[in-house]
Amino acid sequence: MASLKVGYLLPTRDQAVRGDHDLEQLVEQARRAEALGFDSVWAGDSPLTRPRADPLLLLSAVAVATRRITLGTAVLLPALRHPILLAHQLATLDRLADGRLIVGMGGGFPNRGTEAQFTAIGVSFARRISRLEESIEAMRQLWTGREVSFAGRHFDFHGVRPAPVPVSPAGPPIWLAGGGEAALRRVARLADGWLSYPPQARTYAWERAAIQQSAARAVTAALYATLCLDEDPERARQRLRVSIERYYNAPLEAVEAVQAMFAGTARGAAEWLASYAEAGARHVVIRLAADDHHAALENFAGHVLPLLH
């Protein structure tokens, strides 16, 4: 457990659902997470399907307001953006954070809402995965600082050299989300890390082993997990239901069938997360299902974090 890093997902979507758009609260939550000993702080991305603050602009403010904590996107949708502009934004953010950035990326969960988001922005939903893969290839070249010419299926540009470049010549680490054979092969081929959320630790262990067998580089195994803490497990379950169904506009049972979720006591949460650590997770990104996110952050830090560290 000593090697397990713990991150905190900023409640950008929860705040937007409440109609609260005071972003300074989110920056303060990041500052507090750093002070409480979290290893990382993350922001999600969904401009239209589940609207919230833009993750890159928010994390830029967090970068200036913090000193130690790693910053990450959980997860960014590169297919919605042009890779020259996105590479430029991420390199600038990485400079502001002095190299503390991890870029969690995904293709977009296949449902009607996500497809509508791609359609509204004018990007083919059916081609989102190939566009994601090509974006990664293009951005890694753009981050080298050399003049880049690129000709692909989706993007074609010549003699491009953006500035600044990231702190590391390799660029910030790219972690990919996803499960299933095609996604695992993509992680093994392209990614520096894997950020997934299988609802069972044994599935996580199997998928991690599949990545390791074919990975072209060392891949950090990470977990995205939703928790609701309460000393009364039944009350925790009900609070989780309210939070998840408000967040996704879908039944809890449908969401927890595909996502790692826990409702119960602090000790139970630590034991549940330990099962994923035993399955190979080295970094967990915690989303707290709560109405009062300030209190929930303090509660997790005071009662679960010590058991994990």
Side-chain angles (χ1 to χ4, degrees):
M1 293 294 289
S3 63
L4 185 66
K5 294 185 177 181
V6 183
Y8 170 64
L9 183 76
L10 293 169
T12 53
R13 171 60 178 162
D14 301 79
Q15 183 170 307
V17 166
R18 297 195 308 269
D20 181 357
H21 303 298
D22 180 4
L23 301 187
E24 177 57 32
Q25 295 180 56
L26 297 169
V27 177
E28 182 53 39
Q29 283 285 87
R31 288 194 196 100
R32 187 58 184 155
E34 181 175 62
L36 290 169
F38 283 83
D39 298 291
S40 57
V41 64
W42 302 73
D45 179 31
S46 183
L48 298 176
T49 307
R50 298 184 188 94
R52 67 194 76 186
D54 179 87
L56 302 187
L57 290 175
L58 176 61
L59 289 175
S60 294
V62 172
V64 175
T66 57
R67 292 292 177 267
R68 170 195 60 81
I69 201 165
T70 296
L71 314 182
T73 55
V75 291
L76 190 70
L77 301 176
L80 294 178
R81 301 157 169 95
H82 193 285
I84 292 177
L85 298 178
L86 184 56
H88 189 212
Q89 290 172 318
L90 289 169
T92 303
L93 174 54
D94 189 63
R95 282 283 170 182
L96 283 172
D98 194 24
R100 291 181 284 142
L101 180 63
I102 295 172
V103 188
M105 295 182 176
F109 195 78
N111 60 30
R112 189 173 300 173
T114 307
E115 185 171 357
Q117 176 173 254
F118 275 75
T119 299
I121 295 174
V123 175
S124 168
F125 183 73
R127 299 170 68 183
R128 70 194 188 284
I129 300 301
S130 62
R131 188 177 170 102
L132 162 68
E133 294 183 359
E134 195 168 292
S135 292
I136 292 172
E137 181 184 356
M139 287 192 294
R140 283 195 166 131
Q141 292 185 36
L142 290 163
W143 286 334
T144 63
R146 299 189 296 268
E147 185 175 282
V148 175
S149 294
F150 186 91
R153 179 183 177 188
H154 304 283
F155 308 106
D156 191 327
F157 51 85
H158 302 276
V160 171
R161 182 182 289 168
V165 294
V167 171
S168 167
I174 292 174
W175 292 8
L176 285 177
E181 291 185 12
L184 297 178
R185 287 196 300 268
R186 183 162 52 252
V187 171
R189 180 166 48 88
L190 295 174
D192 305 295
W194 175 52
L195 180 58
S196 191
Y197 46 66
Q200 297 181 349
R202 64 176 178 269
T203 304
Y204 187 93
W206 182 88
E207 293 188 333
R208 175 180 173 270
I211 292 170
Q212 285 185 309
Q213 288 174 3
S214 56
R217 65 187 84 196
V219 177
T220 301
L223 173 74
Y224 180 101
T226 301
L227 292 91
C228 185
L229 302 181
D230 198 297
E231 288 307 300
D232 181 342
E234 291 185 7
R235 188 166 58 212
R237 173 77 177 174
Q238 181 56 33
R239 290 174 50 213
L240 177 65
R241 178 179 299 280
V242 171
S243 177
I244 291 302
E245 294 184 354
R246 180 176 58 203
Y247 192 105
Y248 288 105
N249 194 29
L252 170 61
E253 289 76 12
V255 181
E256 69 180 353
V258 295
Q259 287 194 25
M261 295 191 175
F262 174 87
T265 67
R267 182 161 295 278
E271 292 171 355
W272 180 73
L273 290 169
S275 72
Y276 282 92
E278 291 167 4
R282 294 296 172 261
H283 203 133
V284 296
V285 178
I286 302 300
R287 179 176 65 173
L288 296 175
D291 289 325
D292 185 341
H293 283 275
H294 296 283
L297 178 64
E298 299 286 339
N299 186 32
F300 184 93
H303 296 95
V304 182
L305 201 55
L307 300 176
L308 299 177
H309 282 165

